[in-house]
Amino acid sequence: MSAQPDRIALLGELALVMQSPEFVRSPVLRRLLEYLVDQTLAGHGARLKAYQIAVEGLGRDDSFDPQSDSYPRVQVGRLRKMLDLHYAALTPDQAHGRQRIAIPVGHYNVELLPLTTVSPEPAGAGPAAADPQTPPTGAAQAADPAAAATQTVLPTPSSSASMLQPAPPPVPQGVDRGWLIWALPVLMLLALLYVIWLAARPDAAERDLARRDMRQQVAHVTITTDLAADNDDLDTVAQIAEMQLQRFEMLAVSMGSHSDIPAMRDAAREYQLLLRGGGRQQGASPELLFLTLRHGATGTTLWSYELPRNGSRLTAPDFEQAIGSGISAIARSGGLIAQHQRKLIGDDTSPGYPCLIQYDAFRQQRDPALRPALEKCLARSLEAYPDEPLFLQAQSYLALSSPQAGRLTPLVPSKRGRDLAEAALQFDGRSSLAQIAVARSALARGNCPRAIAFARRAVESNPLEPDTLGLAGTFLLSCGDTQGAEPVLERALTMNSEPGGYQIASLVITRQLNGKAASALDLAMRADSRDKATQPNFLLAKALSLAANGRTQEARRSWGELEKLVGVDPGTPARDILARFAISPFFSRRMVSEAERVGLIAPAA
């Protein structure tokens, strides 16, 4: 490990990091970084353990069990990513003369490194660890000239012997002046084009400022605790709630005090999440925790949530999941905050946050009448915030879902849709919305490996967003991963009392393909409604589940409704019917095979 960092230099760099917007908005990570720095400067950094970090740095109870609870490791991982984000956003002027704070992977001590140096990897990682004395090859130096300039190549025994020999005389080289006469104008032209490109390119600082300005527009939730309750557990619940809220990209979150009056940027978009404890009651009554959401400007209570502890540890997975389920109800796409903002904003399609709220409404309702105004406001929003992943992924969806005459396919291949999705991912690789956008564009092109990979990443990034879960599960099903799709779709269903027809259809089909025909039919019958009768995927799922449970006549009537909806004559081959609305050719073939298996259609000759 490296030597003890210089105290004054480390504290100076810590002060600069703490002033950044990323850390201002994340009190938990601020406290964690300050604790790790203090422990490192005290000489204890190399001996830090997960238990110490949880209890002393994150405020966990003394009964914390690091073997069953990964909370400190997760938070340190988030802190590493936050530091990477901070330093990546610095302009050359801001980075000049600075060092960077780094936390080596596999350790908890803090190091101070040159800003151009990559954070150290654990021992044994990477090819260099296999042979520390192997000098970098010319190809490696060419690929990373900055790294090559800072490395010292140690002579091997054979090279040491060669150093004793006199160097061979230089070989005279002639100069092809004709080549120079031809190449010089080309080089001058390239240099001119590079200067023009530099002048026209938006400055990195301006792009970063635009990104931060956009984040200032979104709805803001301040988490506060009831000081009168004097309940130590509330701080832990507040930290869990903050961590869960940070998964949702159309919200900003910060910690506060119940007695504080927040300085509101825009009162209409300010909310307060108040945490209260019920105290221990006499007898068998469980201890209760209460979460209440209030609108800052009016004081109106929009939502309340009661959490019985029943003896559970606050950091137990089931309790954290219960808090996350409550948070999802207010923060998700189409959730309480989005619905409340929609009422306040009305028909406003101004660039920025109002446009995002209109996009959220469009994604929920799929009303074609909203599309023209939405396309205009998203285009204007991207002009104002060209690197904002929220707008990039939204425009990607519009490009991939452009309606086509005579077809009901929900997605179509689009180079623009792909480019926008990849740009969103480039500017924020941790965004679940960007990840699901990349998965969507890959599915539309028939690239199932990429669709599956990014659908799974989106689920990991935000397992509390039912809309993302429903899409990810549908993409997994479409690409043949029925075992992986089922738990994702089931979770989406439990978190959303009114799921979309595509999500219900995907879960019905997934259950059936996984050998659960009875539960598939039960879900299809409970979800059946007039609006779903206009959705081809749901009619397909209903017909298959009816046939699989022996209700053949009803199944064929549902199949007839599907034929009518997609605009084909009765008796049209199943593959031609599915080609009208199914995205994945693999999915179409699988559905034809299943329809034949359950007796819905006759086997192909």
Side-chain angles (χ1 to χ4, degrees), residues 28 60 71 75 223 233-247 255 275 313-316 319-321 323-324 327 464:
V28 173
R60 288 295 195 250
Y71 183 72
Q75 292 295 77
I223 302 174
D233 290 341
L234 291 181
D235 287 338
T236 300
V237 176
Q239 291 176 9
I240 296 172
E242 180 196 26
M243 181 177 64
Q244 305 288 35
L245 278 168
Q246 286 175 341
R247 298 179 186 273
M255 303 282 275
L275 310 182
R313 290 183 297 109
L314 290 176
T315 54
F319 197 78
E320 289 198 15
Q321 183 173 341
I323 296 175
I327 293 298
L464 302 177

Side-chain angles (χ1 to χ4, degrees), residues 436-453:
I436 207 69
V438 171
R440 182 190 291 116
S441 68
L443 180 65
R445 302 192 311 274
N447 186 347
C448 268
R450 189 166 178 79
I452 289 175

